[in-house]
Amino acid sequence: DTNTRTRPMAAASSALVEAVPAALAVGGTSIPHGVRVLWSEREDRVSFHVEVVEPEAPSVAVNDAGAIAINVRSEERGLEVRLQLFSQIDAAKTRWSSSGRGLSFELTKLRIGRWGALVAGVTPATIKVDWSQYVDEEDEREAKLYPHGYDIYKMRGAMGKDWGSNLARELAAEKQIRAINTSKPEDEDEEIACF
């Protein structure tokens, strides 16, 4: 059964070591004291960051059922983070990287749609929404429809039929000036002094 098979993840950078295959059971979320997880989602993927100071020798095991085991050393103590995700993921497409501030993950969902929570069951207090990455459903849908950030046809309609051109206005203004001008070409110009 591919849903319960563990797939070790290769390191995302040279600072990481290859994940060690581990027996990974489905179920349960445990996060050690002092570790915070920030997460955000789109319809097709989930991103999260495990905040750990100067992580050393991280190993990650992921399976399609959404079970993730992270073992890492930080500040001379071993930490084990276990997450049982809200729904299934494609473990083969999981990407992760390490920096001096923690581990970042990008997961692909098996089914398109919003989860509303990162983990199944009761969400621990140390799992928070990453508001800096938040995009609501309407904005996400609009970004897919208009990848450049705007609908040019709506803009065109809002600006009128001759949007972007001042030529018609300039011609109308010149015609109005000719109609108002009562001077004749043979008339002398008067000098006007301003004090």
Side-chain angles (χ1 to χ4, degrees):
D1 183 14
T2 60
N3 285 341
T4 57
R5 199 171 1 151
T6 299
R7 291 196 179 135
M9 298 307 303
S13 70
S14 60
L16 298 177
V17 295
E18 184 142 343
V20 178
L24 188 57
V26 175
T29 294
S30 67
I31 301 172
H33 179 71
V35 175
R36 188 169 74 157
V37 178
L38 296 174
W39 76 286
S40 64
E41 72 172 325
R42 304 290 186 271
E43 285 188 348
D44 60 339
R45 67 186 185 278
V46 173
S47 302
F48 68 92
H49 181 78
V50 180
E51 291 183 347
V52 178
V53 179
E54 296 296 329
E56 298 173 14
S59 66
V60 176
V62 179
N63 70 23
D64 287 340
I68 299 176
I70 305 164
N71 292 299
V72 63
R73 292 196 55 75
S74 174
E75 298 179 330
E76 299 186 17
R77 68 181 184 140
L79 300 172
E80 181 179 13
V81 177
R82 290 191 177 276
L83 302 173
Q84 177 57 54
L85 299 178
F86 185 80
S87 190
Q88 297 175 332
I89 59 169
D90 186 349
K93 293 182 180 177
T94 298
R95 301 288 172 254
W96 63 278
S97 63
S98 177
S99 69
R101 306 183 105 197
L103 303 163
S104 296
F105 290 81
E106 187 79 24
L107 313 169
T108 302
K109 297 177 180 179
L110 276 184
R111 291 183 197 92
I112 301 293
R114 294 284 181 141
W115 290 355
L118 178 63
V119 296
V122 177
T123 301
T126 55
I127 296 179
K128 304 283 185 190
V129 173
D130 186 353
W131 293 110
S132 68
Q133 301 296 319
Y134 180 79
V135 175
D136 68 15
E137 293 175 45
E138 187 176 314
D139 289 342
E140 184 177 5
R141 198 171 16 250
E142 192 172 302
K144 285 181 182 177
L145 288 173
Y146 313 114
H148 300 296
Y150 53 86
D151 180 358
I152 189 127
Y153 299 105
K154 268 188 189 172
M155 286 176 55
R156 183 179 228 166
M159 295 176 155
K161 65 179 184 173
D162 294 324
W163 75 281
S165 172
N166 291 331
L167 182 61
R169 273 187 259 164
E170 288 177 14
L171 291 174
E174 285 178 15
K175 184 178 177 182
Q176 186 178 12
I177 289 171
R178 281 193 299 272
I180 294 174
N181 189 357
T182 57
S183 65
K184 297 179 178 81
E186 59 272 0
D187 288 347
E188 288 183 32
D189 290 337
E190 295 180 21
E191 287 195 28
I192 300 173
C194 295
F195 296 99

